[in-house]
mmCIF file with all atom_site columns, all heavy atoms in Angstrom:
data_model
loop_
_atom_site.group_PDB
_atom_site.id
_atom_site.type_symbol
_atom_site.label_atom_id
_atom_site.label_alt_id
_atom_site.label_comp_id
_atom_site.label_asym_id
_atom_site.label_entity_id
_atom_site.label_seq_id
_atom_site.pdbx_PDB_ins_code
_atom_site.Cartn_x
_atom_site.Cartn_y
_atom_site.Cartn_z
_atom_site.occupancy
_atom_site.B_iso_or_equiv
_atom_site.pdbx_formal_charge
_atom_site.auth_seq_id
_atom_site.auth_comp_id
_atom_site.auth_asym_id
_atom_site.auth_atom_id
_atom_site.pdbx_PDB_model_num
ATOM 1   N N   . PHE E 1 4  ? 103.329 181.792 101.957 1.00 0.00 ? 7  PHE E N   1
ATOM 2   C CA  . PHE E 1 4  ? 104.382 180.645 101.742 1.00 0.00 ? 7  PHE E CA  1
ATOM 3   C C   . PHE E 1 4  ? 105.286 181.137 100.669 1.00 0.00 ? 7  PHE E C   1
ATOM 4   O O   . PHE E 1 4  ? 106.251 180.307 100.438 1.00 0.00 ? 7  PHE E O   1
ATOM 5   C CB  . PHE E 1 4  ? 103.666 179.447 101.278 1.00 0.00 ? 7  PHE E CB  1
ATOM 6   C CG  . PHE E 1 4  ? 102.831 178.772 102.438 1.00 0.00 ? 7  PHE E CG  1
ATOM 7   C CD1 . PHE E 1 4  ? 101.476 178.595 102.413 1.00 0.00 ? 7  PHE E CD1 1
ATOM 8   C CD2 . PHE E 1 4  ? 103.647 178.272 103.583 1.00 0.00 ? 7  PHE E CD2 1
ATOM 9   C CE1 . PHE E 1 4  ? 100.870 177.923 103.495 1.00 0.00 ? 7  PHE E CE1 1
ATOM 10  C CE2 . PHE E 1 4  ? 102.926 177.679 104.626 1.00 0.00 ? 7  PHE E CE2 1
ATOM 11  C CZ  . PHE E 1 4  ? 101.666 177.539 104.618 1.00 0.00 ? 7  PHE E CZ  1
ATOM 12  N N   . GLY E 1 5  ? 105.146 182.322 99.940  1.00 0.00 ? 8  GLY E N   1
ATOM 13  C CA  . GLY E 1 5  ? 106.033 182.634 98.898  1.00 0.00 ? 8  GLY E CA  1
ATOM 14  C C   . GLY E 1 5  ? 105.956 181.627 97.747  1.00 0.00 ? 8  GLY E C   1
ATOM 15  O O   . GLY E 1 5  ? 104.908 181.237 97.330  1.00 0.00 ? 8  GLY E O   1
ATOM 16  N N   . HIS E 1 6  ? 107.183 181.191 97.319  1.00 0.00 ? 9  HIS E N   1
ATOM 17  C CA  . HIS E 1 6  ? 107.134 180.098 96.324  1.00 0.00 ? 9  HIS E CA  1
ATOM 18  C C   . HIS E 1 6  ? 107.330 178.768 96.981  1.00 0.00 ? 9  HIS E C   1
ATOM 19  O O   . HIS E 1 6  ? 107.611 178.779 98.151  1.00 0.00 ? 9  HIS E O   1
ATOM 20  C CB  . HIS E 1 6  ? 108.368 180.351 95.338  1.00 0.00 ? 9  HIS E CB  1
ATOM 21  C CG  . HIS E 1 6  ? 108.499 181.707 94.726  1.00 0.00 ? 9  HIS E CG  1
ATOM 22  N ND1 . HIS E 1 6  ? 107.575 182.099 93.738  1.00 0.00 ? 9  HIS E ND1 1
ATOM 23  C CD2 . HIS E 1 6  ? 109.379 182.776 94.933  1.00 0.00 ? 9  HIS E CD2 1
ATOM 24  C CE1 . HIS E 1 6  ? 107.960 183.308 93.331  1.00 0.00 ? 9  HIS E CE1 1
ATOM 25  N NE2 . HIS E 1 6  ? 108.926 183.706 94.041  1.00 0.00 ? 9  HIS E NE2 1
ATOM 26  N N   . LEU E 1 7  ? 106.976 177.706 96.230  1.00 0.00 ? 10 LEU E N   1
ATOM 27  C CA  . LEU E 1 7  ? 107.124 176.367 96.782  1.00 0.00 ? 10 LEU E CA  1
ATOM 28  C C   . LEU E 1 7  ? 108.035 175.640 95.875  1.00 0.00 ? 10 LEU E C   1
ATOM 29  O O   . LEU E 1 7  ? 107.588 175.041 94.782  1.00 0.00 ? 10 LEU E O   1
ATOM 30  C CB  . LEU E 1 7  ? 105.765 175.720 97.028  1.00 0.00 ? 10 LEU E CB  1
ATOM 31  C CG  . LEU E 1 7  ? 105.829 174.307 97.578  1.00 0.00 ? 10 LEU E CG  1
ATOM 32  C CD1 . LEU E 1 7  ? 106.698 174.306 98.881  1.00 0.00 ? 10 LEU E CD1 1
ATOM 33  C CD2 . LEU E 1 7  ? 104.460 173.717 97.818  1.00 0.00 ? 10 LEU E CD2 1
ATOM 34  N N   . ILE E 1 8  ? 109.283 175.656 96.088  1.00 0.00 ? 11 ILE E N   1
ATOM 35  C CA  . ILE E 1 8  ? 110.300 175.071 95.208  1.00 0.00 ? 11 ILE E CA  1
ATOM 36  C C   . ILE E 1 8  ? 110.929 173.753 95.817  1.00 0.00 ? 11 ILE E C   1
ATOM 37  O O   . ILE E 1 8  ? 111.024 172.893 95.068  1.00 0.00 ? 11 ILE E O   1
ATOM 38  C CB  . ILE E 1 8  ? 111.488 176.051 95.010  1.00 0.00 ? 11 ILE E CB  1
ATOM 39  C CG1 . ILE E 1 8  ? 110.968 177.450 94.545  1.00 0.00 ? 11 ILE E CG1 1
ATOM 40  C CG2 . ILE E 1 8  ? 112.568 175.556 94.031  1.00 0.00 ? 11 ILE E CG2 1
ATOM 41  C CD1 . ILE E 1 8  ? 110.185 177.417 93.376  1.00 0.00 ? 11 ILE E CD1 1
ATOM 42  N N   . SER E 1 9  ? 111.062 173.777 97.123  1.00 0.00 ? 12 SER E N   1
ATOM 43  C CA  . SER E 1 9  ? 111.686 172.621 97.683  1.00 0.00 ? 12 SER E CA  1
ATOM 44  C C   . SER E 1 9  ? 110.866 172.354 98.920  1.00 0.00 ? 12 SER E C   1
ATOM 45  O O   . SER E 1 9  ? 110.238 173.369 99.528  1.00 0.00 ? 12 SER E O   1
ATOM 46  C CB  . SER E 1 9  ? 113.160 172.924 98.189  1.00 0.00 ? 12 SER E CB  1
ATOM 47  O OG  . SER E 1 9  ? 113.636 172.007 99.259  1.00 0.00 ? 12 SER E OG  1
ATOM 48  N N   . ILE E 1 10 ? 110.791 171.129 99.421  1.00 0.00 ? 13 ILE E N   1
ATOM 49  C CA  . ILE E 1 10 ? 110.084 170.773 100.648 1.00 0.00 ? 13 ILE E CA  1
ATOM 50  C C   . ILE E 1 10 ? 110.652 171.542 101.841 1.00 0.00 ? 13 ILE E C   1
ATOM 51  O O   . ILE E 1 10 ? 110.070 171.838 102.805 1.00 0.00 ? 13 ILE E O   1
ATOM 52  C CB  . ILE E 1 10 ? 109.904 169.252 100.945 1.00 0.00 ? 13 ILE E CB  1
ATOM 53  C CG1 . ILE E 1 10 ? 108.831 168.986 101.880 1.00 0.00 ? 13 ILE E CG1 1
ATOM 54  C CG2 . ILE E 1 10 ? 111.233 168.684 101.322 1.00 0.00 ? 13 ILE E CG2 1
ATOM 55  C CD1 . ILE E 1 10 ? 107.441 169.240 101.435 1.00 0.00 ? 13 ILE E CD1 1
ATOM 56  N N   . ASP E 1 11 ? 111.952 171.910 101.743 1.00 0.00 ? 14 ASP E N   1
ATOM 57  C CA  . ASP E 1 11 ? 112.616 172.714 102.780 1.00 0.00 ? 14 ASP E CA  1
ATOM 58  C C   . ASP E 1 11 ? 112.096 174.076 102.947 1.00 0.00 ? 14 ASP E C   1
ATOM 59  O O   . ASP E 1 11 ? 112.334 174.737 103.936 1.00 0.00 ? 14 ASP E O   1
ATOM 60  C CB  . ASP E 1 11 ? 114.137 172.791 102.496 1.00 0.00 ? 14 ASP E CB  1
ATOM 61  C CG  . ASP E 1 11 ? 114.883 171.511 102.525 1.00 0.00 ? 14 ASP E CG  1
ATOM 62  O OD1 . ASP E 1 11 ? 114.456 170.602 103.289 1.00 0.00 ? 14 ASP E OD1 1
ATOM 63  O OD2 . ASP E 1 11 ? 115.908 171.340 101.832 1.00 0.00 ? 14 ASP E OD2 1
ATOM 64  N N   . ASP E 1 12 ? 111.364 174.483 101.987 1.00 0.00 ? 15 ASP E N   1
ATOM 65  C CA  . ASP E 1 12 ? 110.674 175.845 102.067 1.00 0.00 ? 15 ASP E CA  1
ATOM 66  C C   . ASP E 1 12 ? 109.573 175.895 103.166 1.00 0.00 ? 15 ASP E C   1
ATOM 67  O O   . ASP E 1 12 ? 109.037 176.921 103.533 1.00 0.00 ? 15 ASP E O   1
ATOM 68  C CB  . ASP E 1 12 ? 110.059 176.273 100.773 1.00 0.00 ? 15 ASP E CB  1
ATOM 69  C CG  . ASP E 1 12 ? 111.084 176.496 99.594  1.00 0.00 ? 15 ASP E CG  1
ATOM 70  O OD1 . ASP E 1 12 ? 112.241 176.648 100.006 1.00 0.00 ? 15 ASP E OD1 1
ATOM 71  O OD2 . ASP E 1 12 ? 110.688 176.465 98.436  1.00 0.00 ? 15 ASP E OD2 1
ATOM 72  N N   . LEU E 1 13 ? 109.244 174.713 103.702 1.00 0.00 ? 16 LEU E N   1
ATOM 73  C CA  . LEU E 1 13 ? 108.073 174.557 104.600 1.00 0.00 ? 16 LEU E CA  1
ATOM 74  C C   . LEU E 1 13 ? 108.588 174.041 105.989 1.00 0.00 ? 16 LEU E C   1
ATOM 75  O O   . LEU E 1 13 ? 109.430 173.054 105.986 1.00 0.00 ? 16 LEU E O   1
ATOM 76  C CB  . LEU E 1 13 ? 106.889 173.755 104.143 1.00 0.00 ? 16 LEU E CB  1
ATOM 77  C CG  . LEU E 1 13 ? 106.285 174.097 102.836 1.00 0.00 ? 16 LEU E CG  1
ATOM 78  C CD1 . LEU E 1 13 ? 105.235 172.989 102.392 1.00 0.00 ? 16 LEU E CD1 1
ATOM 79  C CD2 . LEU E 1 13 ? 105.528 175.417 102.909 1.00 0.00 ? 16 LEU E CD2 1
ATOM 80  N N   . SER E 1 14 ? 108.165 174.643 107.051 1.00 0.00 ? 17 SER E N   1
ATOM 81  C CA  . SER E 1 14 ? 108.469 174.153 108.388 1.00 0.00 ? 17 SER E CA  1
ATOM 82  C C   . SER E 1 14 ? 107.565 172.990 108.631 1.00 0.00 ? 17 SER E C   1
ATOM 83  O O   . SER E 1 14 ? 106.554 172.838 107.956 1.00 0.00 ? 17 SER E O   1
ATOM 84  C CB  . SER E 1 14 ? 108.326 175.177 109.476 1.00 0.00 ? 17 SER E CB  1
ATOM 85  O OG  . SER E 1 14 ? 106.957 175.500 109.509 1.00 0.00 ? 17 SER E OG  1
ATOM 86  N N   . LYS E 1 15 ? 107.868 172.261 109.779 1.00 0.00 ? 18 LYS E N   1
ATOM 87  C CA  . LYS E 1 15 ? 107.038 171.166 110.144 1.00 0.00 ? 18 LYS E CA  1
ATOM 88  C C   . LYS E 1 15 ? 105.535 171.594 110.419 1.00 0.00 ? 18 LYS E C   1
ATOM 89  O O   . LYS E 1 15 ? 104.626 171.036 110.043 1.00 0.00 ? 18 LYS E O   1
ATOM 90  C CB  . LYS E 1 15 ? 107.498 170.445 111.415 1.00 0.00 ? 18 LYS E CB  1
ATOM 91  C CG  . LYS E 1 15 ? 106.707 169.183 111.798 1.00 0.00 ? 18 LYS E CG  1
ATOM 92  C CD  . LYS E 1 15 ? 107.348 168.442 112.975 1.00 0.00 ? 18 LYS E CD  1
ATOM 93  C CE  . LYS E 1 15 ? 106.539 167.302 113.439 1.00 0.00 ? 18 LYS E CE  1
ATOM 94  N NZ  . LYS E 1 15 ? 107.145 166.609 114.575 1.00 0.00 ? 18 LYS E NZ  1
ATOM 95  N N   . ASP E 1 16 ? 105.539 172.775 111.168 1.00 0.00 ? 19 ASP E N   1
ATOM 96  C CA  . ASP E 1 16 ? 104.160 173.371 111.494 1.00 0.00 ? 19 ASP E CA  1
ATOM 97  C C   . ASP E 1 16 ? 103.367 173.764 110.177 1.00 0.00 ? 19 ASP E C   1
ATOM 98  O O   . ASP E 1 16 ? 102.180 173.494 110.121 1.00 0.00 ? 19 ASP E O   1
ATOM 99  C CB  . ASP E 1 16 ? 104.304 174.539 112.358 1.00 0.00 ? 19 ASP E CB  1
ATOM 100 C CG  . ASP E 1 16 ? 104.554 174.196 113.840 1.00 0.00 ? 19 ASP E CG  1
ATOM 101 O OD1 . ASP E 1 16 ? 104.470 173.001 114.027 1.00 0.00 ? 19 ASP E OD1 1
ATOM 102 O OD2 . ASP E 1 16 ? 104.889 175.089 114.572 1.00 0.00 ? 19 ASP E OD2 1
ATOM 103 N N   . GLU E 1 17 ? 104.138 174.280 109.195 1.00 0.00 ? 20 GLU E N   1
ATOM 104 C CA  . GLU E 1 17 ? 103.447 174.621 107.944 1.00 0.00 ? 20 GLU E CA  1
ATOM 105 C C   . GLU E 1 17 ? 102.889 173.337 107.131 1.00 0.00 ? 20 GLU E C   1
ATOM 106 O O   . GLU E 1 17 ? 101.780 173.374 106.650 1.00 0.00 ? 20 GLU E O   1
ATOM 107 C CB  . GLU E 1 17 ? 104.344 175.446 107.067 1.00 0.00 ? 20 GLU E CB  1
ATOM 108 C CG  . GLU E 1 17 ? 104.524 176.904 107.573 1.00 0.00 ? 20 GLU E CG  1
ATOM 109 C CD  . GLU E 1 17 ? 105.640 177.699 106.869 1.00 0.00 ? 20 GLU E CD  1
ATOM 110 O OE1 . GLU E 1 17 ? 106.564 177.056 106.345 1.00 0.00 ? 20 GLU E OE1 1
ATOM 111 O OE2 . GLU E 1 17 ? 105.580 178.879 106.898 1.00 0.00 ? 20 GLU E OE2 1
ATOM 112 N N   . ILE E 1 18 ? 103.733 172.296 107.252 1.00 0.00 ? 21 ILE E N   1
ATOM 113 C CA  . ILE E 1 18 ? 103.344 171.094 106.621 1.00 0.00 ? 21 ILE E CA  1
ATOM 114 C C   . ILE E 1 18 ? 102.081 170.483 107.276 1.00 0.00 ? 21 ILE E C   1
ATOM 115 O O   . ILE E 1 18 ? 101.059 170.243 106.564 1.00 0.00 ? 21 ILE E O   1
ATOM 116 C CB  . ILE E 1 18 ? 104.492 169.974 106.658 1.00 0.00 ? 21 ILE E CB  1
ATOM 117 C CG1 . ILE E 1 18 ? 105.655 170.441 105.725 1.00 0.00 ? 21 ILE E CG1 1
ATOM 118 C CG2 . ILE E 1 18 ? 103.927 168.626 106.372 1.00 0.00 ? 21 ILE E CG2 1
ATOM 119 C CD1 . ILE E 1 18 ? 106.904 169.599 105.874 1.00 0.00 ? 21 ILE E CD1 1
ATOM 120 N N   . LEU E 1 19 ? 102.052 170.496 108.632 1.00 0.00 ? 22 LEU E N   1
ATOM 121 C CA  . LEU E 1 19 ? 100.854 169.934 109.330 1.00 0.00 ? 22 LEU E CA  1
ATOM 122 C C   . LEU E 1 19 ? 99.690  170.818 109.147 1.00 0.00 ? 22 LEU E C   1
ATOM 123 O O   . LEU E 1 19 ? 98.569  170.386 108.973 1.00 0.00 ? 22 LEU E O   1
ATOM 124 C CB  . LEU E 1 19 ? 101.279 169.925 110.913 1.00 0.00 ? 22 LEU E CB  1
ATOM 125 C CG  . LEU E 1 19 ? 102.253 168.775 111.169 1.00 0.00 ? 22 LEU E CG  1
ATOM 126 C CD1 . LEU E 1 19 ? 102.665 168.784 112.637 1.00 0.00 ? 22 LEU E CD1 1
ATOM 127 C CD2 . LEU E 1 19 ? 101.866 167.363 110.727 1.00 0.00 ? 22 LEU E CD2 1
ATOM 128 N N   . TYR E 1 20 ? 99.929  172.098 108.957 1.00 0.00 ? 23 TYR E N   1
ATOM 129 C CA  . TYR E 1 20 ? 98.755  173.034 108.668 1.00 0.00 ? 23 TYR E CA  1
ATOM 130 C C   . TYR E 1 20 ? 98.147  172.668 107.292 1.00 0.00 ? 23 TYR E C   1
ATOM 131 O O   . TYR E 1 20 ? 96.959  172.587 107.184 1.00 0.00 ? 23 TYR E O   1
ATOM 132 C CB  . TYR E 1 20 ? 99.394  174.490 108.716 1.00 0.00 ? 23 TYR E CB  1
ATOM 133 C CG  . TYR E 1 20 ? 98.337  175.477 108.272 1.00 0.00 ? 23 TYR E CG  1
ATOM 134 C CD1 . TYR E 1 20 ? 97.338  175.942 109.176 1.00 0.00 ? 23 TYR E CD1 1
ATOM 135 C CD2 . TYR E 1 20 ? 98.300  176.064 106.975 1.00 0.00 ? 23 TYR E CD2 1
ATOM 136 C CE1 . TYR E 1 20 ? 96.445  176.914 108.762 1.00 0.00 ? 23 TYR E CE1 1
ATOM 137 C CE2 . TYR E 1 20 ? 97.388  177.016 106.566 1.00 0.00 ? 23 TYR E CE2 1
ATOM 138 C CZ  . TYR E 1 20 ? 96.388  177.365 107.498 1.00 0.00 ? 23 TYR E CZ  1
ATOM 139 O OH  . TYR E 1 20 ? 95.469  178.246 107.103 1.00 0.00 ? 23 TYR E OH  1
ATOM 140 N N   . ILE E 1 21 ? 98.996  172.531 106.195 1.00 0.00 ? 24 ILE E N   1
ATOM 141 C CA  . ILE E 1 21 ? 98.497  172.183 104.979 1.00 0.00 ? 24 ILE E CA  1
ATOM 142 C C   . ILE E 1 21 ? 97.725  170.770 104.977 1.00 0.00 ? 24 ILE E C   1
ATOM 143 O O   . ILE E 1 21 ? 96.713  170.661 104.414 1.00 0.00 ? 24 ILE E O   1
ATOM 144 C CB  . ILE E 1 21 ? 99.716  172.167 103.935 1.00 0.00 ? 24 ILE E CB  1
ATOM 145 C CG1 . ILE E 1 21 ? 100.085 173.549 103.677 1.00 0.00 ? 24 ILE E CG1 1
ATOM 146 C CG2 . ILE E 1 21 ? 99.250  171.483 102.584 1.00 0.00 ? 24 ILE E CG2 1
ATOM 147 C CD1 . ILE E 1 21 ? 101.302 173.748 102.753 1.00 0.00 ? 24 ILE E CD1 1
ATOM 148 N N   . LEU E 1 22 ? 98.285  169.821 105.709 1.00 0.00 ? 25 LEU E N   1
ATOM 149 C CA  . LEU E 1 22 ? 97.625  168.543 105.754 1.00 0.00 ? 25 LEU E CA  1
ATOM 150 C C   . LEU E 1 22 ? 96.298  168.722 106.402 1.00 0.00 ? 25 LEU E C   1
ATOM 151 O O   . LEU E 1 22 ? 95.249  168.006 106.048 1.00 0.00 ? 25 LEU E O   1
ATOM 152 C CB  . LEU E 1 22 ? 98.497  167.529 106.527 1.00 0.00 ? 25 LEU E CB  1
ATOM 153 C CG  . LEU E 1 22 ? 99.940  167.192 106.046 1.00 0.00 ? 25 LEU E CG  1
ATOM 154 C CD1 . LEU E 1 22 ? 100.428 165.908 106.777 1.00 0.00 ? 25 LEU E CD1 1
ATOM 155 C CD2 . LEU E 1 22 ? 99.935  167.036 104.567 1.00 0.00 ? 25 LEU E CD2 1
ATOM 156 N N   . LYS E 1 23 ? 96.227  169.482 107.375 1.00 0.00 ? 26 LYS E N   1
ATOM 157 C CA  . LYS E 1 23 ? 94.884  169.703 108.244 1.00 0.00 ? 26 LYS E CA  1
ATOM 158 C C   . LYS E 1 23 ? 93.912  170.452 107.222 1.00 0.00 ? 26 LYS E C   1
ATOM 159 O O   . LYS E 1 23 ? 92.753  170.043 107.147 1.00 0.00 ? 26 LYS E O   1
ATOM 160 C CB  . LYS E 1 23 ? 95.135  170.555 109.431 1.00 0.00 ? 26 LYS E CB  1
ATOM 161 C CG  . LYS E 1 23 ? 93.936  170.627 110.332 1.00 0.00 ? 26 LYS E CG  1
ATOM 162 C CD  . LYS E 1 23 ? 94.385  171.003 111.746 1.00 0.00 ? 26 LYS E CD  1
ATOM 163 C CE  . LYS E 1 23 ? 93.318  170.799 112.736 1.00 0.00 ? 26 LYS E CE  1
ATOM 164 N NZ  . LYS E 1 23 ? 92.849  172.114 113.107 1.00 0.00 ? 26 LYS E NZ  1
ATOM 165 N N   . LYS E 1 24 ? 94.365  171.392 106.524 1.00 0.00 ? 27 LYS E N   1
ATOM 166 C CA  . LYS E 1 24 ? 93.581  172.119 105.639 1.00 0.00 ? 27 LYS E CA  1
ATOM 167 C C   . LYS E 1 24 ? 93.045  171.187 104.416 1.00 0.00 ? 27 LYS E C   1
ATOM 168 O O   . LYS E 1 24 ? 91.931  171.353 104.017 1.00 0.00 ? 27 LYS E O   1
ATOM 169 C CB  . LYS E 1 24 ? 94.314  173.348 105.033 1.00 0.00 ? 27 LYS E CB  1
ATOM 170 C CG  . LYS E 1 24 ? 93.461  174.281 104.249 1.00 0.00 ? 27 LYS E CG  1
ATOM 171 C CD  . LYS E 1 24 ? 93.999  175.716 104.359 1.00 0.00 ? 27 LYS E CD  1
ATOM 172 C CE  . LYS E 1 24 ? 92.978  176.601 103.721 1.00 0.00 ? 27 LYS E CE  1
ATOM 173 N NZ  . LYS E 1 24 ? 93.388  178.027 103.673 1.00 0.00 ? 27 LYS E NZ  1
#
Side-chain angles (χ1 to χ4, degrees):
F7 287 118
H9 304 290
L10 180 52
I11 307 302
S12 160
I13 196 67
D14 292 332
D15 295 341
L16 300 175
S17 66
K18 183 177 179 181
D19 282 350
E20 286 170 335
I21 289 173
L22 292 173
Y23 174 80
I24 289 173
L25 302 194
K26 193 157 184 254
K27 192 153 189 184

